[in-house]
Amino acid sequence: MSDQHRREWIYKLCTYGALAGLFAFLLQVQNQADEYQIRILNVSAIFVTLAVSYNLINGVAGQFSLGPNAFMAVGAYTTALLTISPAEKELSFIIEPIIWPISVLHLPFLPSLLIGGVFAALLGFVMAFPVFRVRGDYLAIVTLGFGEVVRVVANNAQSITNGPLGLKGLPEYTNLWWSCGVAVFTVFCVTRLVKSSFGRAMQAIREDEVAAAAMGINVFRHKMLAFVVHAFFAGMAGGLMAHLITTISPTLFSFFLTFNLLVIIVIGGLGSMTGSIIAAVIITYAGEWLRAVEEPMAIGPLNIPGIPGMRMVVFSIMLILVMIFARQGLMGRREFSWEWFCGFLKIGKRRG
């Protein structure tokens, strides 16, 4: 066996060992952590799914999309409507009855989650045709408009979404195994895609779209692939979020959600999946720690009243600082690899 093959086997064993460590960690947390800690970990895992898939279209393919909230909304509503029992739907839709056949559909969680992702991917496929007729800032405005269209439709289609009342009392299916399992699956699929010939073509489009087209790359097909894959995983994340908080309404899927994701991938590094994972966890936990800045506080004789939304001010300042002092984000476009990790340990050993 050559040295190259031996190293590859060692890296594979390291990957399996890391997955086994993650399994043991989740088992420990599931048995010993309190409900609040488990909930934050669930939210972190869902945001990892969202950030990694969002970075595929924004960071890898270089298309400035502002519409992940639309895909999350479609995935969340689809999954919720399929998991709620017919009797509960009849009780929830008090203003206007729910339409057939949605009123009688009732499926287990996994097929509902997958169908939610597929519906979001279908929306991404349809949106791709008008969206990719424009570039740059215009593309951002079009995707932002689609996000608002989906939210307004959800607010007014009362016989399907229950309108502003939303859907309440959803079964609490999302746990650590679901959220972290989907996050690991998303990271695996997206990183494999990025390392494939399709991913390299997406990166070529990001660097110079005209040159990529001149080299024979089908620009529209690769943009659409990135957009549809992003929509699928965003839809699944929406289904997970719906069954974690057990209630959804159109206000949950506003531009505020997209802004959070944008902050995560910019701070992590556009084009870096490792950076997206790190930033998603940091921003989720920071959001909880920064709740203190929205509460009334006393500093000596000075009493400062609570200011709702102050956390977003802090996040905005963080984004500004990153843009000024670290425009490439925490990781730039670098990725974690076992080769780098082993080399780092060897250097540390030599220095020690």
Side-chain angles (χ1 to χ4, degrees):
M1 181 183 289
S2 64
D3 291 343
Q4 179 66 25
H5 286 152
R6 191 179 295 111
R7 279 197 295 271
E8 289 177 358
W9 272 105
I10 291 173
Y11 297 155
K12 283 183 181 177
L13 289 176
C14 289
T15 303
Y16 295 142
L19 290 174
L22 176 64
F23 181 83
F25 170 74
L26 294 179
L27 196 62
Q28 187 77 7
V29 171
Q30 187 76 39
N31 293 331
Q32 297 193 355
D34 59 34
E35 189 176 341
Y36 175 74
Q37 292 170 328
I38 292 175
R39 190 180 183 86
I40 300 304
L41 201 55
N42 274 317
V43 175
S44 299
I46 292 171
F47 270 95
V48 166
T49 300
L50 284 167
V52 168
S53 63
Y54 190 41
N55 214 344
L56 178 66
I57 184 67
N58 271 31
V60 177
Q63 307 304 307
F64 189 27
S65 168
L66 292 177
N69 53 329
F71 304 130
M72 276 195 75
V74 171
Y77 273 103
T78 304
T79 308
L81 287 169
L82 290 175
T83 52
I84 300 176
S85 67
E88 290 171 339
K89 291 175 189 173
E90 189 175 351
L91 291 174
S92 298
F93 285 70
I94 53 177
I95 297 178
E96 193 170 331
I98 187 172
I99 62 172
W100 185 89
I102 301 175
S103 59
V104 296
L105 287 174
H106 187 209
L107 295 175
F109 182 52
L110 179 58
S112 302
L113 193 63
L114 291 172
I115 293 173
V118 169
F119 269 62
L122 286 174
L123 176 67
F125 178 78
V126 174
M127 281 174 58
F129 290 96
V131 161
F132 292 128
R133 291 179 66 87
V134 294
R135 301 177 187 174
D137 299 340
Y138 300 103
L139 188 146
I141 293 169
V142 172
T143 51
L144 177 65
F146 270 111
E148 284 302 296
V149 167
V150 170
R151 190 181 63 80
V152 171
V153 169
N155 203 42
N156 290 280
Q158 292 194 350
S159 58
I160 300 175
T161 63
N162 207 22
L165 295 178
L167 301 174
K168 298 179 176 60
L170 307 180
E172 192 174 351
Y173 287 126
T174 303
N175 55 29
L176 285 176
W177 304 111
W178 279 113
S179 60
C180 293
V182 171
V184 170
F185 179 66
T186 306
V187 171
F188 173 77
C189 292
V190 173
T191 50
R192 295 291 293 177
L193 178 61
V194 171
K195 291 178 179 177
S196 70
S197 59
F198 288 102
R200 288 192 288 274
M202 291 174 192
Q203 294 169 45
I205 293 169
R206 175 190 65 196
E207 299 301 328
D208 193 326
E209 191 169 322
V210 176
M215 292 295 292
I217 294 174
N218 189 327
V219 173
F220 178 77
R221 192 178 69 173
H222 286 85
K223 284 182 182 178
M224 176 178 281
L225 177 63
F227 203 53
V228 170
V229 171
H230 153 56
F232 175 76
F233 287 116
M236 289 189 71
L240 290 171
M241 185 66 81
H243 288 278
L244 177 66
I245 60 179
T246 68
T247 178
I248 55 174
S249 65
T251 55
L252 180 65
F253 305 103
S254 64
F255 178 71
F256 176 76
L257 186 60
T258 297
F259 176 75
N260 275 343
L261 288 175
L262 195 60
V263 170
I264 288 172
I265 64 170
V266 170
I267 289 179
L270 286 171
S272 171
M273 302 305 151
T274 309
S276 296
I277 296 168
I278 295 171
V281 174
I282 290 175
I283 294 295
T284 304
Y285 276 89
E288 293 301 314
W289 296 330
L290 288 174
R291 286 185 186 280
V293 302
E294 296 185 350
E295 296 175 355
M297 61 181 74
I299 303 176
L302 183 63
N303 291 318
I304 303 175
I307 304 175
M310 182 56 73
R311 282 186 301 167
M312 294 316 300
V313 175
V314 176
F315 280 136
S316 301
I317 293 172
M318 287 170 59
L319 187 60
I320 292 168
L321 292 175
V322 169
M323 289 293 97
I324 293 175
F325 297 106
R327 295 185 181 181
Q328 301 299 318
L330 295 174
M331 294 294 292
R333 289 178 180 168
R334 295 184 296 276
E335 299 286 2
F336 173 84
S337 69
W338 290 117
E339 188 175 5
W340 169 84
F341 186 69
C342 292
F344 175 78
L345 289 182
K346 284 180 181 176
I347 290 173
K349 190 175 180 180
R350 285 172 189 168
R351 287 178 179 174

